[in-house]
């Protein structure tokens, strides 16, 4: 099936000029107006732009309004020349294009015939981007290269963007509890404008990437044009490096040793500090094969590091359970990662340029999954592999039309395998104390392949810039679930009685999986858009248009016993109109007002359909559950090798998707005022509002109230069922709603005189009535009352009232005449990154099922009169720093030595609390939760490194 899909996609790619809806994500644009000394527009002036690093150039003529516009330009620094008979030619230089940027360069011609050259360096260009109507920012190459990044994970840079908050990831995964536009983890991750988002759950990137080959990062999070789609949150686009006419590159070594670092925040005093070593080797370089024609770039990085997982089970408890003493020690989780990338850019002729990129990553991570109450034998060896190949062809069809075609095939495979520390036998869960025994996560495998082809057509017609496009992405998924058998004991005494044989059935429950755990499920994502950017005046831009998305979901099993699981609805109503206005005040346009709004759609998570196919009433993979009273109940530590005698498949639980399930969408609006203060600094103030509609919520629709209620009015359910042939029916319904209101203030200074910095503060409030599932941070959240969703209306999981982040790269330069003195006092760099934000919110849980609905765990059955997410954790404060000494010899070569640290002040940044209260059967609190700290971000980690640059 996968080969057929791939063949079909490849043939279509060859047969038709198709489209991609995010042409601005990887390229830049230069526009402006040519006038004479009296301010009159000049028609038919010849304008040429030239990339000084690659020799690429384009030529056009000004329209009747004097306007010129160059779309889909490769990134870099440009020169602009303007020529017209009777006027002195003008040349301007130093125009730097970053990804997604629009540089407005207005030019005045003087009467005469004498050649004139006016140099406008990058520091003199307007910073306000008066032609952009969206809200976003770009991290420059200087910032990405030099900011402290002990993790080596460029996805953490998303936290240094306006209107985004969350927690960094020590590994190469994505940051957690990300709040963007009030949505949890709704991120459209991209690489070079192509999809890099995993389809099964919200908030996961598809391909891990190395910071070595990242050139720029573009983030767009509100009011984006119709060409951007597939998210209600933010677009996070990573731009890779390319070769130029000059040869350039680097080689480096980074290392960390245990003695450099502080002890983990939650490590018990009696435990030794675990090994926290790192070794990282990297090299990259690029240049030309043919000047101005053919360029190459390659990159390699190997990261081997220790990431120990702290155990919260005390040595005394481990001893009481009769387990080896080392089970109380930190688990030596680690990673060994390899990253490779190769890229070629070829200027085929004056009209066509072609780019090719290949990425590969591999990761072996033994001792995965441990920490907290999960002890050593439950860990596994995590194997992760990815490959991605991508092409881009940009064709200049005429002086006013440009077409961009892309094709890529990324694939990722993950598996969880047995290794040396694993033991045979069932998993043991001593409730609230410890988990150990045979591994319960081994056997999981997941592969996703997403061939994608796309095209973007640009047409400049007078004062209008028209864009049309569509994209096609096939999502091919294969997943095998882990198999396991688990005994749950109510306390250590019951476990010990089973071990010594005095009460082998003293457990509270037993479960074991049976059947075929594998499934293939495929989807198709299509997107279309049309938009126009109209400049009715030189200082005013209006972008308007519509985007249309279709998400064809996996095919259901038509023979399913429950009707809703026999077919799944594809929502064809995903029309997203959008409009944005940008107006620059004054001739210099250094004050810009932006207003925009629109409808945005988010792809459905494909895992909700996988679950519905597997749990459709006639399961091929199912779970045997038993209490000691069951006739076939096993004797500890027995594990079934076949279906036990006396077992009959119980009335089935079903997971399904509602017949009227629709696509999640948001209504967004924002207003931003930006002012350039000085030649190199800009301040922005913005207000954003987002309304989410159709958030997916799971609830049990097969319950019948018994007539009794808890004291706060929540119904208590009996054993009767609406559909008697089934037990619990958990249905995904697109009924949740959310609101997000935020004010933001940002200050940006671009690199000038050795100083570059960015600071942003956001006050925000996010609410919803939708405890989600199929999300990286909320895997099994359910309503506290399935008959009344409004009982769960509260602060969102990622609600943070205050969020401040700032970063700076400081490279002071002092001019002295003595060369030795100059070398001594110069060549230093200090880079800082600081985050301060409100603590996370947590749900106050109870320790009992209160409403009779066993499908909803006690975690979500809150005590009486307690709202959802009412506990606020401690605030997070983290300062990261890097100090660099640059030893330069000759003009093109330098050696850098640096030291960098995360959490310099070693603040305990708590991200987990113990929030379970002891309650009586009526839901009254008997013992309040301890609020003990259960998880925290990294302690102070110090890393040293050397880097040779040429």
């Amino acid at each position: 099936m996968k080969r057929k899909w791939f063949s079909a996609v490849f043939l279509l790619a060859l047969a038709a000029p198709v489209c991609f809806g995010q042409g601005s994500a990887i390229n830049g644009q230069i526009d402006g107006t040519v006038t004479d000394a009296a301010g009159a527009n000049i028609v038919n002036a010849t304008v040429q732009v030239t990339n000084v690093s690659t020799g690429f150039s384009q030529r056009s003529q000004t329209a009747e309004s004097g306007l010129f516009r160059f779309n889909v330009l490769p990134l870099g620094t440009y020169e602009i020349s303007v020529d017209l008979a009777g006027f002195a030619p003008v040349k301007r230089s130093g125009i730097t294009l970053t990804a997604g940027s629009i540089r407005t360069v207005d030019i005045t011609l003087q009467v005469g015939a004498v050649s004139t050259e006016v140099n406008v360096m990058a520091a003199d260009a307007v910073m306000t981007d008066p032609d952009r109507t969206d809200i976003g920012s770009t991290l420059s190459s200087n910032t990405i290269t030099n900011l402290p990044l002990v993790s080596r994970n460029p996805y953490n840079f998303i936290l240094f963007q306006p209107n985004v908050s969350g927690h960094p990831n020590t590994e190469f995964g994505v940051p957690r509890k990300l709040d963007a536009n009030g949505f949890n983890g709704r991120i459209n991750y991209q690489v070079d404008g192509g999809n890099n988002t995993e389809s099964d759950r919200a908030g996961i990137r598809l391909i891990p990437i190395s910071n070595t080959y990242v050139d720029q990062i573009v983030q767009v999070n509100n009011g984006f044009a119709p060409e951007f789609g597939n998210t209600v949150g933010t677009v996070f686009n990573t731009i890779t490096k390319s070769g130029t006419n000059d040869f350039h590159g680097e080689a480096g070594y980074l290392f960390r040793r245990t003695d450099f670092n502080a002890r983990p925040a939650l490590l018990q005093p009696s435990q030794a500090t675990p090994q926290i070593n790192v070794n990282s080797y990297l090299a990259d370089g690029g240049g030309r094969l043919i000047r101005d024609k053919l360029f190459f770039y390659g990159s390699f990085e190997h990261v081997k590091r220790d990431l120990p997982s702290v155990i919260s089970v005390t040595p005394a408890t481990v001893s009481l359970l009769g387990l080896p003493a080392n089970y109380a020690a930190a688990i030596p989780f680690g990673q060994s990662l390899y990253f490779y990338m190769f890229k070629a850019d070829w200027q085929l002729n004056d009209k066509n340029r072609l780019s090719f990129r290949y990425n590969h990553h591999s990761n072996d991570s033994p001792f995965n999954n441990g920490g907290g109450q999960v002890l050593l034998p439950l860990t596994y060896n995590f194997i992760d592999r990815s490959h991605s190949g991508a092409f881009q062809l940009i064709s200049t069809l005429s002086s006013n039309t440009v077409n961009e075609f892309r094709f890529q095939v990324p694939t990722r495979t993950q598996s969880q395998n047995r290794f040396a520390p694993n033991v045979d036998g069932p998993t043991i869960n001593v409730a609230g104390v410890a988990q150990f025994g045979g591994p319960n996560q081994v056997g999981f495998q997941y592969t996703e392949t997403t061939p994608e082809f796309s095209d973007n057509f640009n047409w400049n017609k007078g004062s209008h810039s028209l864009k049309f496009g569509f994209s096609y992405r096939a999502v091919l998924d294969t997943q095998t679930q882990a198999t396991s058998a688990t005994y749950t004991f109510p306390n250590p005494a019951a476990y010990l009685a089973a071990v010594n044989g005095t009460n082998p059935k003293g457990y509270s429950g037993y479960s074991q999986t049976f059947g075929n755990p594998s499934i293939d499920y495929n989807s198709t994502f299509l997107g279309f858009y049309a938009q126009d950017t109209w400049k009715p005046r030189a200082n005013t831009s209006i972008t308007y248009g519509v985007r249309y998305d279709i998400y064809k979901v996996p095919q259901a099993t038509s023979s399913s016993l429950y009707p809703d699981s026999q077919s799944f609805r594809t929502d064809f109503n995903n029309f997203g109109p959008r409009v944005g206005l940008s107006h620059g005040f004054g001739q210099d346009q250094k004050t810009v007002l932006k207003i925009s709004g629109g409808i945005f759609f988010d792809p459905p998570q494909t895992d909700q359909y996988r679950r519905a196919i597997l749990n459709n009433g006639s399961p091929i993979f199912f779970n045997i559950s038993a209490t000691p009273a069951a006739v076939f109940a096993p004797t500890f530590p027995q594990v079934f090798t076949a279906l036990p005698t006396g077992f009959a498949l119980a009335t089935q639980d079903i997971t399904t998707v509602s017949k009227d399930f629709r696509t999640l969408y948001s209504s967004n609006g924002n207003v931003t005022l930006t002012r350039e203060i000085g030649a190199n600094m800009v301040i922005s103030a913005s207000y954003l509002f987002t309304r989410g509609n159709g958030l997916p919520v799971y609830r049990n629709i097969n319950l019948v109230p018994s007539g009794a209620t808890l004291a706060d009015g929540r119904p208590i359910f009996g054993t009767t069922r609406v559909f008697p042939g089934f037990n619990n029916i958990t249905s995904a319904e697109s009924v949740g709603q959310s609101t997000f209101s935020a004010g933001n203030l940002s200050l940006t200074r671009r690199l000038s005189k050795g100083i570059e910095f960015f600071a942003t503060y956001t006050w925000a409030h996010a609410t919803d009535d939708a405890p989600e599932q199929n999300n990286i941070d909320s895997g099994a959240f359910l309503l506290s009352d399935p008959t009344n969703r409004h009982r769960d209306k509260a602060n969102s999981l990622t609600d943070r009232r205050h969020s401040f982040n700032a970063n700076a790269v400081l490279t002071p330069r002092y001019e002295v005449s003595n060369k030795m003195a100059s070398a001594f006092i110069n060549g230093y760099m200090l880079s800082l990154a600081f985050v301060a934000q409100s603590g996370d919110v947590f749900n106050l849980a109870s320790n009992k099922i209160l409403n009779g609905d066993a499908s909803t765990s006690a975690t979500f059955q809150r005590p009486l009169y307690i709202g959802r997410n009412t506990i606020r954790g401690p605030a997070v404060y983290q300062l990261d720093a890097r100090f660099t000494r640059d030893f330069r010899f000759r003009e093109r070569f330098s050696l850098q030595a640096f030291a960098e640290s995360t959490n310099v002040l070693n603040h305990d940044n708590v991200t987990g609390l113990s929030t379970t209260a002891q309650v009586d059967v009526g839901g009254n609190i008997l013992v309040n939760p301890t609020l003990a700290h259960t998880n925290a971000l990294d302690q102070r980690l110090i890393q040293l490194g050397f880097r040779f640059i040429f």
Side-chain angles (χ1 to χ4, degrees):
M1 178 62 70
K2 287 186 177 180
R3 287 195 294 269
K4 291 179 181 178
W5 269 98
F6 182 87
S7 300
V9 170
F10 184 73
L11 290 173
L12 284 170
L14 295 177
V18 289
C19 338
F20 181 71
Q22 297 178 12
S24 299
I26 183 175
N27 308 293
Q29 176 179 312
I30 295 176
D31 65 20
T33 303
V34 179
T35 58
D36 62 19
N41 298 330
I42 294 181
V43 185
N44 293 327
T46 300
V47 184
Q48 179 170 306
V49 295
T50 303
N51 187 308
V52 298
S53 297
T54 64
F56 167 80
S57 66
Q58 276 192 348
R59 179 175 295 188
S60 184
Q61 290 184 315
T62 56
E64 186 175 342
S65 60
L67 176 69
F68 65 89
R69 182 184 281 119
F70 295 93
N71 308 100
V72 201
L73 293 175
L75 308 182
T77 301
Y78 281 80
E79 289 183 346
I80 303 176
S81 61
V82 183
D83 190 24
L84 182 65
F87 292 89
V90 173
K91 181 179 289 186
R92 295 200 174 186
S93 61
I95 309 301
T96 300
L97 276 188
T98 56
S101 65
I102 302 175
R103 292 290 178 249
T104 300
V105 184
D106 296 328
I107 296 175
T108 301
L109 297 183
Q110 303 289 336
V111 176
V114 179
S115 178
T116 301
E117 181 172 328
V118 180
N119 287 322
V120 181
M121 302 309 292
D124 299 323
V126 174
M127 293 181 63
T128 51
D129 266 1
D131 285 348
R132 285 186 63 173
T133 60
D134 53 51
I135 297 177
S137 63
T138 299
L139 287 181
S140 69
S141 179
N142 180 63
T143 299
I144 292 169
T145 302
N146 295 306
L147 277 184
L149 192 67
V150 172
S151 67
R152 300 293 300 156
N153 179 6
Y155 288 108
N156 287 331
F157 284 131
I158 196 173
L159 301 175
F160 294 105
Q161 307 282 1
N163 305 301
V164 176
S165 63
H167 302 314
N169 194 321
T170 305
E171 305 172 43
F172 281 87
V174 298
R176 298 301 170 90
K177 288 194 175 180
L178 276 177
D179 181 6
N181 282 345
F183 294 97
N184 178 21
R186 302 284 176 172
I187 313 296
N188 181 359
Y189 292 104
Q190 300 178 350
V191 173
D192 289 334
N195 174 68
N196 191 32
T197 308
E198 200 169 293
S199 73
D200 60 332
R201 291 171 292 158
I204 308 181
R205 53 87 181 100
L206 182 62
I207 306 295
I209 57 178
S210 164
N211 196 56
T212 304
Y213 53 72
V214 175
D215 183 39
Q216 299 175 29
I217 291 174
V218 184
Q219 183 254 346
V220 187
N221 76 339
N222 204 291
F224 35 87
E227 60 185 298
F228 295 94
N230 296 317
T231 183
V232 293
T234 188
V235 177
F236 183 80
N237 184 24
T238 304
I239 310 300
T240 59
K241 296 177 181 178
S242 295
T244 65
N245 279 323
D246 292 329
F247 293 96
H248 55 84
E250 64 177 338
Y253 170 59
L254 296 84
F255 64 98
R256 184 167 75 224
R257 296 296 179 262
T258 301
D259 292 341
F260 297 173
N261 310 293
R263 287 169 58 86
L266 303 182
L267 186 65
Q268 298 178 48
S270 61
Q271 294 298 312
T273 300
Q275 294 297 305
I276 317 175
N277 300 316
V278 170
N279 289 284
S280 178
Y281 307 86
L282 59 93
D284 69 287
R288 68 178 186 271
L289 295 176
I290 304 174
R291 175 174 289 275
D292 295 343
K293 289 289 186 182
L294 183 58
F295 311 95
F296 71 92
Y297 174 82
S299 175
F300 163 81
E301 181 170 12
H302 176 216
V303 180
K304 184 174 178 57
R305 61 186 174 192
D306 301 320
L307 296 167
S309 304
V310 176
I311 293 297
S312 61
V313 184
T314 66
T317 301
V318 168
S319 176
L320 173 67
L321 294 171
L323 302 174
N326 68 314
Y327 280 18
I331 294 176
F333 171 52
Q335 293 181 322
S336 179
L337 298 106
Y338 289 88
F339 296 95
Y340 304 89
M341 191 191 88
F342 175 77
K343 189 175 183 180
D345 298 278
W346 187 8
Q347 188 69 39
L348 299 172
N349 50 46
D350 291 342
K351 301 294 184 182
N352 299 281
R353 64 183 186 272
L354 177 69
S355 294
F356 166 76
R357 171 178 50 81
Y358 171 74
N359 294 73
H360 171 62
H361 129 272
S362 67
N363 176 27
D364 291 358
S365 295
F367 301 98
N368 214 308
N369 188 52
Q373 295 179 359
V374 180
L375 305 185
L376 180 70
L378 290 193
T379 62
Y380 52 79
N381 189 16
F382 178 67
I383 306 297
D384 193 5
R385 302 288 185 268
S386 67
H387 302 269
S388 179
F391 292 88
Q392 179 195 43
L393 176 64
I394 298 179
S395 302
T396 303
L397 306 179
S398 71
S399 61
N400 294 318
T401 56
V402 178
N403 190 75
E404 178 192 33
F405 170 78
R406 298 186 199 174
F407 176 67
Q408 71 165 17
V409 183
T411 185
R412 186 179 183 192
T413 300
Q414 307 165 47
S415 62
Q416 297 170 184
N417 303 335
R418 292 181 66 95
F419 72 130
N422 296 141
V423 298
D424 294 329
T427 300
I428 309 300
N429 176 24
V430 181
V433 177
Q435 299 173 44
F436 51 97
N440 58 356
Q441 301 291 321
V442 165
F444 171 85
Q445 291 187 335
Y446 177 75
T447 298
E448 178 162 295
T449 303
T450 59
E452 175 184 29
F453 60 91
S454 47
D455 189 274
N456 182 54
F457 179 75
N458 299 260
W459 178 23
N460 296 327
K461 183 174 176 58
S463 58
H464 296 266
S465 179
L466 303 167
K467 291 185 178 182
F468 307 93
F470 77 85
S471 61
Y472 174 96
R473 173 158 44 110
V475 182
L476 313 177
D477 290 321
T478 298
Q479 183 164 327
T480 301
Q481 291 183 249
T483 56
S484 64
T486 301
Y487 282 94
T488 298
F489 292 90
N491 51 56
Y495 166 69
L496 294 173
V499 170
N500 63 30
T502 58
N503 188 8
K505 290 191 176 183
Y507 53 87
S508 56
Y510 174 80
S511 65
Q512 184 174 343
T513 53
F514 267 92
N516 180 8
S518 299
I519 184 175
D520 293 337
Y521 54 107
N522 301 323
S523 310
T524 304
F525 293 174
L526 292 166
F528 306 82
Y529 80 90
Q531 75 180 48
D532 176 23
T533 299
W534 174 37
K535 292 195 70 169
R537 301 174 60 184
N539 61 342
T540 302
S541 290
I542 302 173
T543 298
Y544 58 95
V546 64
R547 182 176 182 88
Y548 178 57
D549 292 293
I550 301 174
Y551 305 112
K552 189 177 184 302
V553 300
Q555 186 174 355
T557 303
S558 58
S559 60
S560 297
L561 298 181
Y562 184 67
D564 281 10
S565 296
Q566 294 172 359
S567 63
F568 300 137
R569 176 177 182 257
T570 295
D571 188 356
F572 292 98
N573 299 310
N574 306 329
F575 289 93
R578 302 175 194 174
V579 62
L581 166 70
S582 178
H583 179 77
F585 295 91
Q587 186 173 2
D588 58 9
Q589 299 190 54
K590 292 186 177 181
T591 300
V592 175
L593 176 67
K594 299 181 181 182
I595 303 173
S596 62
I599 305 295
F600 304 83
F601 290 89
D602 202 87
Q605 278 65 61
T606 57
D607 196 63
Q608 71 182 13
Y609 297 96
R610 179 193 67 85
R611 293 166 62 188
I613 294 170
L614 280 177
N615 304 296
N616 63 5
S618 52
I620 59 172
F621 182 70
F622 55 93
N623 191 64
I624 294 179
S625 296
T627 63
V631 65
F632 60 88
T635 299
F636 180 83
Q638 177 187 357
V639 173
F640 297 134
T641 57
L643 288 178
T645 302
F647 167 78
L649 192 63
T651 303
Q652 286 295 291
D653 288 342
I654 287 178
T655 302
T656 191
V657 180
S658 174
K659 279 290 188 182
D660 59 357
F661 193 89
R662 61 176 178 172
T663 307
L664 162 63
Y665 72 96
S666 67
S667 305
N668 293 15
N670 68 77
V671 56
T672 300
L673 184 64
T674 303
R675 172 63 187 176
E676 189 170 315
I677 49 177
N680 302 298
M681 195 176 301
V682 64
I683 187 169
S684 297
S686 62
Y687 172 75
L688 302 86
F689 179 80
T690 300
R691 173 63 180 263
N693 303 276
L695 276 74
V697 179
Y698 278 86
R699 72 182 183 100
N700 192 343
I701 62 173
N702 208 28
L703 300 174
V704 176
S706 66
T709 63
L710 296 172
D712 59 6
R714 280 179 286 174
I716 298 175
F717 302 100
T719 57
T720 305
R721 293 293 183 257
V722 177
F723 301 93
F726 308 106
N727 187 21
N728 299 305
I729 301 177
T730 307
S731 178
E733 302 175 328
S734 51
V735 294
Q737 294 184 330
S738 68
T739 60
F740 175 74
S741 183
N744 175 264
L745 190 66
S746 296
L747 181 66
T748 306
R749 177 190 169 94
R750 67 183 163 196
L751 182 61
S752 177
K753 297 182 180 179
I755 300 175
E756 180 177 15
F757 68 77
F758 173 76
T760 181
Y761 166 75
T762 301
W763 177 93
H765 188 199
T767 65
D768 66 46
D769 58 4
E772 283 196 75
Q773 296 189 20
N774 302 113
N775 191 301
I776 191 172
D777 294 313
S778 54
F781 286 16
L782 288 162
L783 296 167
S784 61
D785 179 358
T787 68
N788 185 359
R789 196 177 72 255
H790 296 294
R791 290 190 189 275
D792 287 277
K793 185 174 183 180
N795 296 328
S796 299
L797 178 67
T798 52
D799 175 61
R800 295 184 183 89
R801 301 300 168 84
H802 304 279
S803 178
F804 174 80
N805 68 71
N807 62 80
V809 179
L810 311 174
T811 316
R813 176 77 185 175
Y814 306 98
E815 297 296 335
V816 295
S817 57
N818 184 282
K819 289 186 178 180
M820 184 174 294
S822 178
F824 180 76
I825 66 174
N826 290 306
Y828 299 94
M829 177 186 298
L830 178 63
S831 306
L832 301 170
F834 178 70
V835 170
Q837 61 190 25
S838 301
D840 293 342
V841 295
F842 297 92
N843 197 54
L844 180 58
S846 67
N847 67 325
K848 287 185 172 63
I849 301 295
L850 299 175
N851 66 0
D853 177 16
S855 69
T856 301
S857 69
T859 301
F860 304 105
Q861 303 208 13
R862 297 184 296 275
L864 293 179
Y865 306 108
I866 299 296
R868 174 170 155 257
N869 294 339
T870 53
I871 298 176
R872 176 76 64 176
V876 170
Y877 304 96
Q878 180 159 314
L879 173 66
D880 300 346
R882 175 189 287 181
F883 179 76
T884 304
R885 180 66 167 103
D886 187 24
F887 301 93
R888 186 167 293 276
F889 48 100
R890 300 186 181 178
E891 186 174 345
R892 288 180 48 86
F893 303 95
S894 69
L895 177 66
Q896 290 185 348
F898 58 89
E900 62 181 351
S901 173
T902 187
N903 198 4
V904 173
L905 304 178
N906 201 33
H907 184 260
D908 287 351
N909 291 314
V910 175
T911 59
L913 299 176
S914 177
T915 62
T916 300
Q918 305 296 311
V919 299
D920 62 19
V921 293
N924 297 289
I925 295 178
L926 301 176
V927 180
N928 282 310
T930 64
L931 301 184
H933 299 172
T934 58
N935 287 291
L937 300 180
D938 286 334
Q939 71 278 25
R940 179 174 58 244
L941 301 173
I942 297 176
Q943 197 158 274
L944 304 180
F946 302 92
R947 185 164 59 186
F948 174 72
I949 303 172
F950 67 92

